[in-house]
């Protein structure tokens, strides 16, 4: 049985008409025209409806839609104003998001603040319940707000009303397109999502207003079009694939695209291309690209001649991975399943992976906002053009990675800066696996082993550009490009006149992120929506006064620039004792005098004896 990917996810719904367009903004999409009533016209009806229109040649049968009434709406008698009231069922999610933006606790957020904050996202503010409201852009702040709102509603377990399109309730438009009408709705402002088999869609939902002036709204959907999820791999604590990670400079950063084979029935060929935009701190490895298509029946890896990597593009795209005809590949490889099970033929999972390297540019932007990498999918969307003439795009999906730095101050216990203290950094307690660094204008930049051949280089030869770190005349130096985790900073040589620390300093760098690391919106890296806290501690052991002095110290950090500040102290040492220098010299002097006198007397006696002997001889 085929793998089922049933999960409620947000999709882009193309809003065609909000005839009584509210004072709240709406996503920009193609419109299905409907005559706008005058501002004084009020339709005398008690219920409303939302009509969902399929794309030409596509079916709505079996599709499900989830509706959440976020606000009740009420028009002024003359239609000159419209008022919104929060639905208590969904108020907690709205208040939490708005409270975060306004720096107010969620339970203290007033419903007027919710409505007025959303209004600040409206670039086309108008008055009048029936005045035409221009739609917001697909990549506007409003669109991202909707995506975050839908994610928060999922986290809080909020459910809407599910409506299923069946053969019995589908009606046909004059042009042959299928339409699904959701009737008997109460007036209000609705968030509308499609329930889809494809897992993990990252697209904004639509807000649709129905009230006395606007009892009927129409929506076009891009049903059966592919969706795209981007992930980054976090190698710490077995986190795995998610939206947020941290790395050393020079380390290999794995990325992943996840999507599904769309329904390509009616296409002769099908164009499929990933457009990727990387931060300048990331270097793409085009030789690392791998594309897999698989389901419960088969696993297929595309050969290099079935896709191509294009790197010479404009400033909005760093590179593109292009599959010129996805349909040809899938139809060929799954031909047996096509014959046996035509209805369930498409829907295979597509996984594309590649690597990048966090390069030296990261040394200038440690901490927030991080280094974003974003992707969108280009795909055929008109079978009349054989998949070559017309294409569409998914919204951009973004992930982020961070790196950190250590600022070291070397002083004595009288706060005097100490120059020429030397250090090396290690990743293991035994100090056998050195974290090599190279000198730069702004400090010492980490040379991750991935840049030297990976894990095979552990314990290997020191690279030519690697240096030993030393403190400058102000006693300072910085190590730039650290991962979160544990490091061992070893003092290899102390300044003249000081005793070096015999044991390495155990340094812990702890970055914590949002509890939901699978929901990242572009720009969140600059706030605590992604990187929540940065803490650090150091264990320092020093031998003084016949004892080992051990201490654990919390370190001062700055989450904005991703810095950890460590002070390393060398204690001023005293002279060894002497053995009474003055008395010793006096005794030594007296001894010399006595010895000299004794020798002189002996010489005088000897001289007299010789003279006496000479007299006797005469």
């Amino acid at each position: 049985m085929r793998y089922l990917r049933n999960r409620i996810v947000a999709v882009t719904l193309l809003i065609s008409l909000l005839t009584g367009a509210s004072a709240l903004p709406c996503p920009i999409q193609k419109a299905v025209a409907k005559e706008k009533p005058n501002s004084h016209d009020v339709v005398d009806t008690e219920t409303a409806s939302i009509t969902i229109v399929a794309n030409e040649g596509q079916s709505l049968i079996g599709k499900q839609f989830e509706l959440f009434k976020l606000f009740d709406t009420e028009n002024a008698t003359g239609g000159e104003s419209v008022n919104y009231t929060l639905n208590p069922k969904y108020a907690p999610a709205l208040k939490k998001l708005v409270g975060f933006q306004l720096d107010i606790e969620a339970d203290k957020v007033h419903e007027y603040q919710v409505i007025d904050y959303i209004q600040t996202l409206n670039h086309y503010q108008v008055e009048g319940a029936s005045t035409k409201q221009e739609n917001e852009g697909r990549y506007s702040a409003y669109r991202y707000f909707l995506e975050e709102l839908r994610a928060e509603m999922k986290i809080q377990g909020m459910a809407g009303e599910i409506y299923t399109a069946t053969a019995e309730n589908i009606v046909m438009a004059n042009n042959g397109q299928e339409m699904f009408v959701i009737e008997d709705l109460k007036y209000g402002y609705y968030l509308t999502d499609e329930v889809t088999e494809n897992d993990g869609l990252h697209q904004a939902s639509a807000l649709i207003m129905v009230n006395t002036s606007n009892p009927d709204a129409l929506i076009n959907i891009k049903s059966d079009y592919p969706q795209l999820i981007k992930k980054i791999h976090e190698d710490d604590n077995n986190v795995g694939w998610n939206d947020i990670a941290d790395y050393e400079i020079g380390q290999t950063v794995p990325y992943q695209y996840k999507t599904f084979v769309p329904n390509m029935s009616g296409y002769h060929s099908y164009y499929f291309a990933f457009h990727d935009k990387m931060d300048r701190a990331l270097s793409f490895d085009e030789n690392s690209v791998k594309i897999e298509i698989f389901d419960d029946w088969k696993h297929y890896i595309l050969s290099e001649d079935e896709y191509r990597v294009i790197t010479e593009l404009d400033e909005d795209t760093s590179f593109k991975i292009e599959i010129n005809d996805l349909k040809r590949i899938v139809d060929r490889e799954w031909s047996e399943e096509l014959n046996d099970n035509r209805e369930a033929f498409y829907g295979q999972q597509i996984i594309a992976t590649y690597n990048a390297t966090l390069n030296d540019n990261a040394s200038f932007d440690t901490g927030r906002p991080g280094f974003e990498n974003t992707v969108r999918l280009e795909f055929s969307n008109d079978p009349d053009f054989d998949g070559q003439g017309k294409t569409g795009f998914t919204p951009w999906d973004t992930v982020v990675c961070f790196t950190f730095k250590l600022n070291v101050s070397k002083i004595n216990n009288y706060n005097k800066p100490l120059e020429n203290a030397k250090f090396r950094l290690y990743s293991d307690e035994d100090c056998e696996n050195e974290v090599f660094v190279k000198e730069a204008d702004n400090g010492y930049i980490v040379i991750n082993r991935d840049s030297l051949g990976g894990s095979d280089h552990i314990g290997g030869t020191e690279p030519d550009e690697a240096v030993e770190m030393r403190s400058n005349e102000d006693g300072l130096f910085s190590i730039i490009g650290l991962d979160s985790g544990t490091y061992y900073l070893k003092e290899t040589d102390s300044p003249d006149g000081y005793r070096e620390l015999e044991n390495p300093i155990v340094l812990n760098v702890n970055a914590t992120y949002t509890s939901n690391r699978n929901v990242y919106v572009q720009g969140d890296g600059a706030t605590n929506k992604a990187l929540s806290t940065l803490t650090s501690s150091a264990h320092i052991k020093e031998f003084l006064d016949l004892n080992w002095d051990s201490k654990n110290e919390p370190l001062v950090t700055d989450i904005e620039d991703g810095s950890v500040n460590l002070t390393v102290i060398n204690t001023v040492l005293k002279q060894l004792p002497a053995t009474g220098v003055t008395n010793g010299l006096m005794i030594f002097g007296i001894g010399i005098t006595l010895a000299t006198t004794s020798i002189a007397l002996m010489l005088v006696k000897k001289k007299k004896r010789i003279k006496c002997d000479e007299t006797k001889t005469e």
Side-chain angles (χ1 to χ4, degrees):
M1 184 174 181
R2 289 180 66 89
Y3 170 66
L4 296 179
R5 298 174 291 269
N6 293 325
R7 178 182 172 192
I8 297 178
V9 292
V11 303
T12 300
L13 298 179
L14 302 183
I15 299 180
S16 58
L17 176 69
L18 298 178
T19 50
S22 72
L24 294 180
C26 299
I28 186 168
Q29 303 291 357
K30 292 183 180 179
V32 176
K34 184 181 179 183
E35 191 144 344
K36 178 174 74 71
N38 295 325
S39 61
H40 61 274
D41 292 337
V42 176
V43 179
D44 185 15
T45 181
E46 297 181 356
T47 61
S49 68
I50 296 175
T51 300
I52 299 170
V53 183
N55 284 338
E56 185 176 356
Q58 296 178 339
S59 177
L60 290 175
I61 295 177
K63 291 188 177 296
Q64 292 185 318
F65 302 90
E66 188 172 14
L67 270 62
F68 308 79
K69 190 174 78 167
L70 303 183
F71 305 93
D72 291 312
T73 61
E74 180 184 69
N75 286 350
T77 303
E80 74 276 6
S81 179
V82 59
N83 185 48
Y84 302 93
T85 306
L86 266 178
N87 183 346
K89 183 176 180 180
Y90 306 115
L94 283 159
K95 288 185 176 183
K96 180 177 179 180
L97 290 184
V98 173
F100 178 82
Q101 295 296 331
L102 302 180
D103 198 21
I104 302 173
E105 294 181 12
D107 59 356
K108 295 181 180 178
V109 174
H110 194 279
E111 69 171 335
Y112 292 171
Q113 290 175 306
V114 173
I115 296 166
D116 289 353
Y117 171 76
I118 297 176
Q119 187 63 268
T120 67
L121 307 178
N122 185 359
H123 291 88
Y124 311 101
Q125 297 185 19
V126 295
E127 294 180 352
S130 298
T131 307
K132 180 177 176 57
Q133 168 76 68
E134 295 293 332
N135 293 326
E136 295 293 316
R138 293 179 67 186
Y139 310 117
S140 64
Y142 172 71
R143 174 202 177 277
Y144 288 121
F145 174 80
L146 287 184
E147 184 170 346
E148 289 185 330
L149 174 60
R150 187 64 190 98
E152 181 60 34
M153 292 169 70
K154 289 182 182 180
I155 292 172
Q156 296 194 26
M158 296 177 177
E161 295 293 324
I162 301 292
Y163 296 85
T164 303
T166 66
E168 290 73 27
N169 58 30
I170 291 291
V171 297
M172 302 298 292
N174 292 334
N175 61 1
Q177 288 177 276
E178 293 184 357
M179 297 189 301
F180 174 43
V181 183
I182 303 174
E183 298 179 305
D184 300 323
L185 296 174
K186 294 183 178 180
Y187 299 138
Y189 217 89
Y190 288 82
L191 177 71
T192 306
D193 272 353
E194 183 181 355
V195 180
T196 176
E197 291 182 348
N198 291 350
D199 188 16
L201 309 188
H202 274 215
Q203 297 197 21
S205 307
L207 276 180
I208 298 142
M209 184 180 75
V210 288
N211 61 16
T212 54
S213 291
N214 315 284
D216 302 303
L218 290 86
I219 308 168
N220 280 5
I221 66 166
K222 278 185 173 288
S223 56
D224 294 326
Y225 285 162
Q227 311 298 330
L228 181 63
I229 296 293
K230 185 176 181 66
K231 295 296 177 187
I232 186 172
H233 190 270
E234 173 60 85
D235 58 349
D236 297 333
N237 303 317
N238 298 315
V239 172
W241 295 104
N242 74 121
D243 283 7
I244 305 168
D246 47 50
Y247 285 91
E248 288 182 356
I249 290 179
Q251 191 170 4
T252 297
V253 184
Y255 289 98
Q256 178 193 84
Y257 308 141
K258 181 180 178 182
T259 184
F260 293 85
V261 175
N263 187 345
M264 299 182 291
S265 300
Y267 289 86
H268 295 292
S269 62
Y270 199 93
Y271 182 80
F272 210 74
F274 304 100
H275 294 248
D276 199 295
K277 185 175 182 179
M278 308 191 92
D279 190 281
R280 69 187 185 100
L282 294 162
S283 300
F284 171 55
D285 178 8
E286 62 181 284
N287 295 318
S288 65
V289 173
K290 180 181 179 182
I291 304 175
E292 305 169 75
I293 306 175
F294 59 92
D295 61 10
D296 290 343
W297 295 317
K298 188 168 186 175
H299 185 279
Y300 180 72
I301 300 175
L302 271 64
S303 61
E304 292 184 2
D305 62 352
E306 291 178 318
Y307 67 90
R308 65 172 180 159
V309 179
I310 306 169
T311 56
E312 300 297 328
L313 296 165
D314 55 45
E315 61 181 11
D316 290 330
T317 306
S318 303
F319 64 90
K320 179 169 68 172
I321 304 173
E322 180 182 73
I323 304 173
N324 194 55
D325 190 355
L326 178 66
K327 180 178 173 62
R328 179 181 63 84
I329 297 170
V330 175
D331 285 3
R332 181 195 68 214
E333 295 299 323
W334 271 262
S335 58
E336 182 177 347
E337 287 73 24
L338 173 63
N339 294 329
D340 294 342
N341 194 355
R342 182 174 295 273
E343 291 183 0
F345 179 60
Y346 294 116
Q348 296 87 344
Q349 188 169 352
I350 300 175
I351 298 287
T353 55
Y354 70 87
N355 295 330
T357 301
L358 191 62
N359 61 46
D360 290 355
N361 287 322
S363 67
F364 300 105
D365 295 300
T366 56
R368 291 173 173 164
F371 313 108
E372 291 186 336
N373 182 216
T374 187
V375 67
R376 65 175 177 173
L377 180 65
E378 182 182 6
F379 55 90
S380 295
N381 68 353
D382 190 340
D384 292 337
F385 282 83
D386 289 343
Q388 296 299 315
K390 284 190 175 182
T391 58
F393 293 88
T394 65
W396 293 96
D397 189 23
T398 305
V399 297
V400 67
C401 69
F402 298 90
T403 196
F404 309 102
K405 65 181 176 182
L406 174 68
N407 298 324
V408 181
S409 175
K410 181 67 171 177
I411 60 174
N412 68 15
N413 53 320
Y414 293 98
N415 291 321
K416 176 184 177 181
L418 298 180
E419 186 179 4
N420 286 328
K422 298 178 182 179
F423 291 87
R424 290 184 182 269
L425 188 67
Y426 297 88
S427 61
D428 65 310
E429 186 176 4
D430 295 329
C431 294
E432 295 178 350
N433 300 321
E434 184 171 357
V435 178
F436 298 116
V437 298
K438 58 186 175 184
E439 193 167 9
D441 292 339
N442 54 342
Y444 295 94
I445 298 177
V446 170
I447 309 172
N448 183 270
R449 292 192 188 93
D450 287 348
S451 302
L452 308 172
S455 59
D456 292 340
H457 192 83
I458 294 177
T461 305
E462 181 175 310
D464 293 337
E465 58 186 341
V467 296
E468 189 173 43
M469 295 170 285
R470 64 176 63 203
S471 56
N472 62 18
E473 61 184 4
D474 296 318
L476 306 175
F477 68 93
S478 296
I479 308 173
I480 308 171
L482 297 176
D483 198 348
S484 59
T486 302
Y487 291 92
Y488 300 84
L489 184 64
K490 174 68 174 173
E491 185 176 30
T492 56
D493 190 14
S494 60
D496 291 345
Y498 291 88
R499 177 190 296 170
E500 60 255 19
L501 300 176
E502 186 169 321
N503 293 81
I505 298 169
V506 183
L507 177 71
N508 292 298
V509 181
N510 301 306
T512 58
Y513 301 98
T514 175
S515 58
N516 188 359
R517 294 177 65 156
N518 283 305
V519 177
Y520 179 84
V521 177
Q522 191 172 27
D524 279 356
T527 71
N528 64 4
K529 291 181 183 179
L531 177 59
S532 301
T533 62
L534 178 64
T535 59
S536 184
S537 64
H539 178 76
I540 302 174
K541 188 175 182 180
E542 184 180 14
F543 192 83
L544 287 173
D545 300 327
L546 296 178
N547 290 302
W548 287 104
D549 180 27
S550 296
K551 54 188 175 183
N552 287 301
E553 295 183 346
L555 303 181
V556 175
T557 63
D558 187 331
I559 196 170
E560 297 303 324
D561 67 2
S563 63
V564 174
N565 300 302
L566 171 68
T567 299
V568 182
I569 300 174
N570 281 141
T571 301
V572 171
L573 301 174
K574 301 178 178 64
Q575 295 185 30
L576 290 175
T579 56
V581 174
T582 303
N583 291 337
L585 287 175
M586 288 178 61
I587 294 171
F588 184 61
I590 293 171
I592 291 174
T593 301
L594 292 174
T596 302
T597 303
S598 177
I599 292 170
L601 290 173
M602 290 174 63
L603 290 174
V604 170
K605 289 181 179 180
K606 183 176 181 181
K607 185 174 182 181
K608 287 182 177 180
R609 188 168 53 250
I610 292 172
K611 190 172 183 180
C612 182
D613 290 343
E614 288 176 350
T615 303
K616 288 180 178 181
T617 302
E618 291 176 357

